[in-house]
Amino acid sequence: MSIRHGLLALLSNGPRYGYQLRVEFETSTGATWPLNIGQVYTTLSRMERDGLVEPGGADDQGRAVYTITEAGRGELERWFSTPVDQSDRPRDELAIKLAMAIAAGDADLAAVVQTQRAATMRALQDLTRAKRTAAKEGLAQRLVLDSMIFKAEAEQRWLDHCEAVLKEKNT
């Protein structure tokens, strides 16, 4: 997902000013993707240049607000109707780390796996606590946290598999 599409989604609900977009973006993503306010204004500027948003004057407190254009709505609709391709996701740094540990030849693979297992378990516990406190915050936060929990659980299962393969190799 790009910041651009996230901001367009928020603007589809009505005019917003930059700081408001930043807060709503972070809230909607369960605070898992913090934004710098400069990123928000740079993205808005580019979207204005591309005809996706336009300045909408100022609110009652004098803050410049932006509105989504028809072209912006079209871009948002295209984004929502396009599935996320596996190749569009960032690389899996943990898989690469283990592959490089194997390539290095002298790394303690079991220790690498155990270190990651402990870190993933702590993250899973933190996410579970966050989900309990965010339950009343809204559906968007819950779904983001659920996704993160499922990914952490899947990582734990993959680490179990790695351990089994390492044991098999060493026997």
Side-chain angles (χ1 to χ4, degrees):
M1 179 189 108
S2 68
I3 295 169
R4 166 185 178 129
H5 290 110
L7 297 182
L8 285 172
L10 294 170
L11 287 168
S12 71
N13 289 319
R16 304 277 193 279
Y17 56 91
Y19 185 77
Q20 184 180 22
L21 286 166
R22 177 181 166 240
V23 169
E24 289 181 20
F25 184 96
E26 290 180 358
T27 299
S28 295
T29 60
T32 60
W33 189 345
L35 285 183
N36 176 303
I37 192 66
Q39 289 175 289
V40 172
Y41 284 109
T42 299
T43 303
L44 285 169
S45 177
R46 288 185 189 134
M47 290 192 307
E48 182 180 354
R49 175 199 67 203
D50 296 341
L52 303 175
V53 300
E54 60 189 10
D59 68 3
D60 57 349
Q61 295 179 5
R63 296 175 292 219
V65 296
Y66 291 83
T67 59
I68 191 170
T69 64
E70 283 307 310
R73 288 188 188 284
E75 173 65 20
L76 185 60
E77 186 177 314
R78 276 187 294 285
W79 180 59
F80 282 143
S81 66
T82 305
V84 176
D85 191 304
Q86 289 289 336
S87 66
D88 291 341
R89 296 179 187 177
R91 66 188 173 275
D92 184 339
E93 190 153 343
L94 177 56
I96 292 169
K97 184 179 194 174
L98 286 175
M100 292 297 108
I102 292 167
D106 61 350
D108 184 349
L109 295 172
V112 172
V113 169
Q114 284 305 315
T115 299
Q116 187 63 42
R117 178 186 305 288
T120 303
M121 185 54 70
R122 282 191 303 275
L124 189 53
Q125 291 167 343
D126 292 343
L127 290 166
T128 302
R129 276 192 294 277
K131 182 179 173 182
R132 275 190 295 246
T133 60
K136 50 194 163 279
E137 296 295 324
L139 183 59
Q141 281 185 337
R142 178 180 174 197
L143 292 176
V144 169
L145 289 168
D146 284 343
S147 174
M148 294 172 73
I149 288 168
F150 293 154
K151 287 175 185 171
E153 290 171 343
E155 184 171 293
Q156 289 290 39
R157 287 191 308 275
W158 183 71
L159 291 168
D160 290 342
H161 171 75
C162 289
E163 276 186 333
V165 169
L166 287 171
K167 284 179 186 174
E168 185 179 289
K169 179 187 172 268
N170 292 331
T171 58

